[in-house]
Amino acid sequence: MPAAESAQSYPLLIKQIFSSAGRFEPDNKIVYRGDKSFSYQEFRERVQQLANALKAAGVEAGDTVAVMDWDSHRYLECYFAVPMLGAVLHHVNIRLSPEQIVYTMNHAEDKLVLVHDDFVPLVEQVKGHLTTVDGYIRLSDTGAESTSDVDFIGEYEKLLAVQDKVCNFPDFDENSIATTFYTTGTTGNPKGVFFSHRQLTLHTLNMVGQLGSYDGLPLLRSDSVYMPITPMFHVHAWGVPYAAVMLNCTQIYPGRYEPDKLVELINDYQVTISHCVPTILQMLLACESGQKTQFNDWKVLIGGSALPMGLAQTATEKGIDIYTAYGMSETCPLLTIAHLNKEIRSLPVEQQLKYRILTGVPANLVDLTITEPDGALAPHDGSAVGEITVQAPWLTMGYAKEPEKQEELWEGGRLHTGDVASVHENGFVEIKDRIKDVIKTGGEWISSIELENLISQHPAVAAVAVVGIPDDKWGERPFAMVVPKTAELEAAELQQHLQQYVDNGHISKWAIPEQMQMVDDIPKTSVGKINKKEIRAALSA
Amino acid sequence: MPAAESAQSYPLLIKQIFSSAGRFEPDNKIVYRGDKSFSYQEFRERVQQLANALKAAGVEAGDTVAVMDWDSHRYLECYFAVPMLGAVLHHVNIRLSPEQIVYTMNHAEDKLVLVHDDFVPLVEQVKGHLTTVDGYIRLSDTGAESTSDVDFIGEYEKLLAVQDKVCNFPDFDENSIATTFYTTGTTGNPKGVFFSHRQLTLHTLNMVGQLGSYDGLPLLRSDSVYMPITPMFHVHAWGVPYAAVMLNCTQIYPGRYEPDKLVELINDYQVTISHCVPTILQMLLACESGQKTQFNDWKVLIGGSALPMGLAQTATEKGIDIYTAYGMSETCPLLTIAHLNKEIRSLPVEQQLKYRILTGVPANLVDLTITEPDGALAPHDGSAVGEITVQAPWLTMGYAKEPEKQEELWEGGRLHTGDVASVHENGFVEIKDRIKDVIKTGGEWISSIELENLISQHPAVAAVAVVGIPDDKWGERPFAMVVPKTAELEAAELQQHLQQYVDNGHISKWAIPEQMQMVDDIPKTSVGKINKKEIRAALSA
């Protein structure tokens, strides 16, 4: 149907999220650590001032602007101002090693870097190795003069103060890249993922509905008080800040994560919704003020790794309303989320927990399937397992400058998550293992994590790791490395222990490892995870 | 950033709305008049059976399929099955004259027509004039054999029953047209508007968030019970059925609108949300069972024309939670909606009504401005008036086969609504008049409707119409045609009556008509509106 010649198509741009800021609840505030508070009107002006300051610093469409900051109102302003100029926002992962940070900043071709005072020493250390950066802006909480030898263009607040409060953001192709950041595996260089304006606008638009309009998932509405506890450099803080701006929520940005400070902010501002990894939740509950606080009306969305039932129970007893979600750096991130349907909601809370700690059901617009080793779609019966592949409107279209790795990621036209899962009849996804750790034996997949869980339930086991080792007949067979609590523990006893799970149908008889090794210690990675790569390498050496 | 070669972009298609059906609340139902009830699982199967039946009837991508039905589960199934095949769904406006219906069906090039028994006599009457139709499917509530001379392919339920419950819907360009329907003005032929998959998916995605996640507009959530009382052939029933499917709401389709039946369904199913024009609301409240019912927990979204304060008060007293919205056939339709921010919500209900009956604030993604007669943007101060022009992701890109009219609609790259409004500081839009009825005098715009309202407040005035008449000096001057209650009423008395509104600053002194005419009757259109075109024509004759 031929359109009117003068009709304009409407690109999906981050500026359209921005245009909702303050439209519905103009009196709500954006707060930084309790020290600073801005109305949505001020936020709108500051974003435009920041954009003008960035232009004055030479930023043009297509340039990459890096941010090294804790969670702050400034970072939120960058979430909008940088991409709305047509530039790319690089969320620098400040937890990487200095060497990796240099790698990512050179790889992303960062031109301008905004640096919080806490990271100035790091920048001093690495700046000689940054090959594309030609300017730095300082982010200071104190406003004190800099004593650094970094030649800053200026301090953020001072640069904003002199700028006009109006900036006319241009229209451009909705597929223009808005953000980039890096994901690390156990090997190789960090890999750059990237997201377009269209992808982030759709992710936001969906999140606004998904987290507020479903009674089984009432997390984020315009009256919510939101505080992220997933770093803003980590997958767009799961995309919630963009949704919170569109909803005009009150937002609390906590700066550097200090458990007692976080609890103080939750209490002071009556925060209703946060999201974090299980470890952070554990830290919060364990800190001094956390122990004293009853967190009624605080909803927490957990992701990043599986939520242990014990922690979920403790959190529930402390009044926390717990939900889980699943996604990855490659997926913007939202893929699945724990929607509690009417049937689940009718259960007592302790029985709901089973579903609250599962990975949830696919979000709107997400097409998720599990594929068996032979490539066939696995049935959604709660027991068949397969690799999760997805299609959704907000997946990275590749890895920057990594032609081979990005074809692997997208093999066959769907994004491969590398996670193995089963899907229950009610749609809940249950992650079983990473595909690289799953044991492929005789055409079946056995979860190494499940075997570890079962073996660890033997009273004489202190720690256990299970990996697959090559087998001529079966392809692979499971191998268990066990740290016993008592010297006498033998493989036969553990095999007998596992037999009960075979008898009750929980695992197949092929899952019992013939080979086990008693050891004093299990190899770990630098972040404390079992180093299965090293175990496999040692076994095949 | 080059994407992986194997990466697939994700088109926004109606099938992605469909894929959410039953994902969240599988036990909710879709009900027809209380007689039939389908689970979401059955709905999913029926839509696929319908698609297979349409394919069997020869429907291919690009074909147009017309529906003539009351609001039904069948119509909802067509909302999905037809466009998901790549065909175009023509919502036939069965309130047009037979001649106009023939015009629209030939103009849209309808190939297949689904006809409810109630419209079979109409089809018998006009089928000789339908130049493109080559098949009819009968929609029967009774299942009785047809006695018509229309050669039906079959009856809907019987055709579905023999079809497979699985249909693999193809991917295609998201800009493919999904729906079309016709809008009528006071002159000329009906004009065809058209909407793409992308537009409807975005409209739906936004509506899912807009109507549920904002505490100032809590209309539609997954637990809502929804019943449309705006016909499904009228601008996608305002787009709500698509949103209700994505939310997995319980939905009640009432068939032909019979006031007592509607009230019965509201009571029986505890309907929580409906939408309609003011006239229908009035009918419902006035019917026998409406008078007896207290409608607690029923939210009603009003659009189509201004909601009079008196009706809003009556509805509120009957327990109805009233909101208003604004849009047009050309706009899918959502443009603005009454979001009650925290400040408004803190007011007593009677004071909230002022905002509830205004047109509301622009919805997310809607860019709305008002333009003064000289082309300048009018300030949002509650008094300056201008024509509303909009940009949004869901506007018709033209009028089908009407090259001149569609350029007028989109003049300057924004869609011209033809409505004149002011915008208040809090963002609320107040429609003042149609631009063709507004009086352009001395570079200012005076609302004919506002003058009519003020004049009608004189106790001796039974009815009044105000139009602009040409004036050499001022361009136009207002002219009032008045039906007096008493024979003695004179223009001077009405001019004096208007002077009080000049004195208190409500209207400018230029708004007082020098010319008034006392008449017995005011010309009306066939639907009972003041026929300003006829009045102007008579005055210039």
Side-chain angles (χ1 to χ4, degrees), chain B residues 455 479-480 482 491 494-495 498 512-518:
Chain B
I455 294 172
F479 172 91
V482 179
L494 292 175
Q495 284 154 354
L498 288 174
I512 299 182
E514 293 87 10
Q515 298 187 61
M516 298 197 183
Q517 182 184 6
M518 303 299 151

Side-chain angles (χ1 to χ4, degrees), chain A residues 32-351:
Chain A
Y32 178 56
R33 284 181 77 80
D35 304 330
K36 292 176 185 162
S37 171
F38 305 93
S39 71
Y40 268 90
Q41 178 59 29
E42 288 172 300
F43 168 70
R44 293 181 60 81
E45 291 169 359
R46 286 173 58 86
V47 167
Q48 294 180 77
Q49 287 177 305
L50 170 58
N52 286 327
L54 293 172
K55 285 204 278 189
V59 172
E60 294 178 2
D63 288 344
T64 301
V65 175
V67 175
M68 304 169 85
D69 195 5
W70 308 114
D71 291 7
S72 71
H73 61 300
R74 294 174 299 243
Y75 215 140
L76 186 69
E77 288 154 10
C78 291
Y79 265 44
F80 288 90
V82 174
M84 292 194 311
L85 288 173
V88 178
L89 178 65
H90 175 194
H91 309 83
V92 179
N93 182 344
I94 43 86
R95 290 201 189 135
L96 297 179
S97 68
E99 194 179 335
Q100 283 179 313
I101 289 177
V102 168
Y103 173 84
T104 63
M105 294 178 73
N106 288 336
H107 190 270
E109 302 175 33
D110 295 343
K111 182 176 176 184
L112 181 73
V113 188
L114 286 77
V115 191
H116 184 276
D117 276 341
D118 287 358
F119 306 111
V120 169
L122 172 70
V123 168
E124 287 171 348
Q125 180 191 338
V126 303
K127 71 181 160 54
H129 302 285
L130 297 176
T131 54
T132 59
V133 175
D134 66 11
Y136 297 90
I137 289 175
R138 186 173 155 240
L139 311 173
S140 174
D141 288 349
T142 63
E145 286 302 309
S146 168
T147 55
S148 163
D149 67 352
V150 178
D151 183 21
F152 288 109
I153 293 168
E155 195 280 320
Y156 187 90
E157 289 300 330
K158 294 196 177 98
L159 291 174
L160 262 62
V162 300
Q163 291 294 336
D164 200 87
K165 290 174 179 172
V166 174
C167 177
N168 289 313
F169 295 105
D171 271 357
F172 42 76
D173 187 331
E174 66 184 21
N175 294 307
S176 305
I177 301 304
T179 65
T180 188
F181 49 87
Y182 285 76
T183 172
T184 51
T186 44
T187 55
N189 284 318
K191 298 191 290 292
V193 295
F194 45 92
F195 298 93
S196 69
H197 281 258
R198 171 182 162 116
Q199 292 179 318
L200 282 163
T201 305
L202 289 170
H203 190 269
T204 303
L205 201 54
N206 181 55
M207 195 166 256
V208 164
Q210 194 82 68
L211 302 189
S213 293
Y214 294 82
D215 294 278
L217 186 58
L219 296 189
L220 190 72
R221 289 178 182 156
S222 59
D223 282 0
S224 298
V225 180
Y226 164 62
M227 182 172 82
I229 327 185
T230 311
M232 295 180 81
F233 62 75
H234 183 71
V235 211
H236 313 111
W238 299 357
V240 185
Y242 283 122
V245 166
M246 198 164 207
L247 284 163
N248 300 191
C249 296
T250 299
Q251 304 188 54
I252 316 296
Y253 286 88
R256 183 176 186 163
Y257 295 166
E258 296 152 339
D260 286 295
K261 179 70 181 179
L262 293 171
V263 175
E264 180 193 317
L265 291 169
I266 292 165
N267 284 323
D268 286 357
Y269 290 95
Q270 300 179 45
V271 171
T272 65
I273 166 72
S274 296
H275 47 76
C276 61
V277 295
T279 322
I280 294 269
L281 179 62
Q282 189 127 42
M283 262 172 50
L284 268 184
L285 296 179
C287 76
E288 196 183 333
S289 51
Q291 290 186 35
K292 289 185 205 145
T293 300
Q294 186 66 16
F295 295 91
N296 297 331
D297 302 320
W298 189 37
K299 293 167 195 295
V300 177
L301 185 64
I302 294 287
S305 57
L307 175 62
M309 178 58 96
L311 179 55
Q313 282 164 338
T314 308
T316 305
E317 283 158 16
K318 294 282 278 182
I320 298 171
D321 199 12
I322 280 280
Y323 296 80
T324 50
Y326 164 64
M328 324 163 51
S329 294
E330 286 83 349
T331 65
C332 201
L334 186 63
L335 292 179
T336 68
I337 192 156
H339 175 274
L340 309 178
N341 64 35
K342 284 180 183 170
E343 192 183 334
I344 298 173
R345 275 180 280 155
S346 71
L347 300 172
V349 173
E350 58 274 22
Q351 289 179 44

Side-chain angles (χ1 to χ4, degrees), chain A residues 397 403 406-407 410 413, chain B residues 2-8:
Chain A
M397 295 305 276
Q406 72 179 6
E407 295 306 328
W410 272 99
Chain B
E5 280 174 31
S6 42
Q8 299 285 318

Side-chain angles (χ1 to χ4, degrees), chain A residues 1-12 16-17 19-20 23-28 174 177 180 194 198 201-202 205-216 220-224 243 246-248 250 337 339-343 345 361-368 391-394 396-401 403 406-408 410-414 426-427, chain B residues 1-12 16-17 19-20 23-28 174 177 180 194 198 201-202 205-216 220-224 243 246-248 250 337 339-343 345 361-368 391-394 396-401 403 406-408 410-414 426-427:
Chain A
M1 197 76 79
E5 281 173 33
S6 42
Q8 299 285 319
S9 66
Y10 183 102
L12 295 171
Q16 272 107 28
I17 304 171
S19 72
S20 291
R23 186 182 283 190
F24 303 102
E25 293 294 351
D27 294 338
N28 284 347
E174 66 184 21
I177 301 304
T180 188
F194 45 92
R198 171 182 162 116
T201 305
L202 289 170
L205 201 54
N206 181 55
M207 195 166 256
V208 164
Q210 194 82 68
L211 302 189
S213 293
Y214 294 82
D215 294 278
L220 190 72
R221 289 178 182 156
S222 59
D223 282 0
S224 298
M246 198 164 207
L247 284 163
N248 300 191
T250 299
I337 192 156
H339 175 274
L340 309 178
N341 64 35
K342 284 180 183 170
E343 192 183 334
R345 275 180 280 155
V361 301
N364 281 319
L365 306 188
V366 174
D367 166 18
L368 180 149
Q391 177 58 301
W394 42 73
T396 187
M397 295 305 276
Y399 293 123
K401 306 178 199 167
Q406 72 179 6
E407 295 306 328
E408 270 172 40
W410 272 99
E411 191 193 333
R414 292 175 64 84
N426 64 2
Chain B
M1 198 75 80
E5 280 174 31
S6 42
Q8 299 285 318
S9 67
Y10 183 103
L12 296 171
Q16 273 107 28
I17 304 171
S19 71
S20 291
R23 185 182 285 191
F24 304 102
E25 295 293 352
D27 295 338
N28 284 347
E174 67 185 20
I177 300 305
T180 188
F194 46 91
R198 171 183 162 113
T201 304
L202 289 170
L205 201 54
N206 181 55
M207 196 166 255
V208 164
Q210 194 83 68
L211 302 189
S213 294
Y214 293 82
D215 294 277
L220 191 72
R221 289 177 182 157
S222 59
D223 282 1
S224 297
M246 197 163 208
L247 284 163
N248 299 192
T250 299
I337 192 157
H339 175 275
L340 308 178
N341 64 33
K342 285 180 181 170
E343 191 183 334
R345 276 181 279 155
V361 300
N364 281 320
L365 305 187
V366 174
D367 166 17
L368 180 150
Q391 177 57 301
W394 42 73
T396 188
M397 296 303 276
Y399 292 123
K401 307 177 199 167
Q406 71 180 6
E407 295 306 329
E408 270 171 41
W410 272 99
E411 192 193 334
R414 293 175 64 84
N426 63 2

